[in-house]
Amino acid sequence: MDIVSFVETLAGKWFSQRTTHYLASQTSKAGQSNLMMEVLPATDASLVQVCAAQGQDPAHIACGLKVDQDSRMDGDTRNTQRTTVMVMLQPTAEGKGILLQSTPQAPVIQGEYGLDNAVLTLTTQTPDGTVQERLWFANPNLRMRTSVFKVGDTEQMASFCSEIRLGGAPAQG
């Protein structure tokens, strides 16, 4: 499976159930999200704009994804809403490539992705530390996602999500 095929499997409306564990305080929180994921063609103006912000050649775009997220952690009184545009540039022969992410609240962040045995790994450096996220499918309509946030070599937070496709795109396979 290549990156374009994998990203195409992400399309649709998803319900996400998340547990986040904060390692320093040994506390956990649960949360839920509704996600709408739309695959964008390589020629989409928003993808070209994200590339321009990072000085990347839009001719190297492999695919893109727009993610609309509406989330709430247990105990919060308000939902968090965010839109993220993700651009995957053409991968190397090993299946690794540059990942660009943009939200209206933050400048474009550059990271990397790798696709190995139908598991997508996203690694992003932020001003606060490194986030590594892994996504894979248990079946076409059930997706698993983990993330780990590190400061230096110390893991600060870990989360696990199970995500169920609610519609919006045909199930594969």
Side-chain angles (χ1 to χ4, degrees):
M1 174 177 283
D2 67 8
I3 188 61
V4 175
S5 298
F6 189 90
V7 168
E8 288 172 348
T9 67
L10 300 174
K13 184 176 180 181
W14 295 84
F15 173 75
S16 178
Q17 186 78 20
R18 175 177 63 251
T19 301
T20 302
H21 186 68
Y22 302 92
L23 300 168
S25 64
Q26 293 295 302
T27 60
S28 295
K29 271 186 136 176
Q32 300 80 37
S33 297
N34 289 304
L35 306 168
M36 180 56 98
M37 304 181 89
E38 176 187 357
V39 177
L40 301 174
T43 56
D44 186 90
S46 63
L47 303 183
V48 172
Q49 190 174 27
V50 170
C51 284
Q54 281 292 311
Q56 295 287 343
D57 183 350
H60 295 138
I61 297 172
C63 58
L65 190 66
K66 178 183 171 192
V67 181
D68 291 311
Q69 177 181 353
D70 183 8
S71 303
R72 183 180 293 199
M73 294 297 283
D74 289 353
D76 290 349
T77 58
R78 291 188 172 176
N79 284 16
T80 299
Q81 296 178 332
R82 174 175 43 189
T83 298
T84 303
V85 173
M86 302 171 75
V87 182
M88 282 77 166
L89 299 181
Q90 291 292 336
T92 63
E94 295 80 31
K96 296 178 189 283
I98 293 173
L99 166 71
L100 304 174
Q101 297 182 69
S102 174
T103 66
Q105 303 83 7
V108 174
I109 296 173
Q110 183 169 317
E112 58 186 43
Y113 71 86
L115 185 61
D116 187 33
N117 293 321
V119 176
L120 179 63
T121 302
L122 309 173
T123 305
T124 308
Q125 286 290 121
T126 71
D128 299 323
T130 304
V131 178
Q132 185 176 64
E133 188 170 23
R134 295 170 52 91
L135 296 93
W136 70 96
F137 286 85
N139 69 49
N141 294 311
L142 177 61
R143 180 174 67 207
M144 305 296 168
R145 185 163 47 107
T146 62
S147 63
V148 175
F149 173 70
K150 289 182 177 183
V151 175
D153 290 333
T154 306
E155 295 168 344
Q156 301 292 318
M157 185 215 53
S159 69
F160 173 78
C161 301
S162 60
E163 300 174 331
I164 300 168
R165 187 188 310 267
L166 299 176
Q172 303 290 317

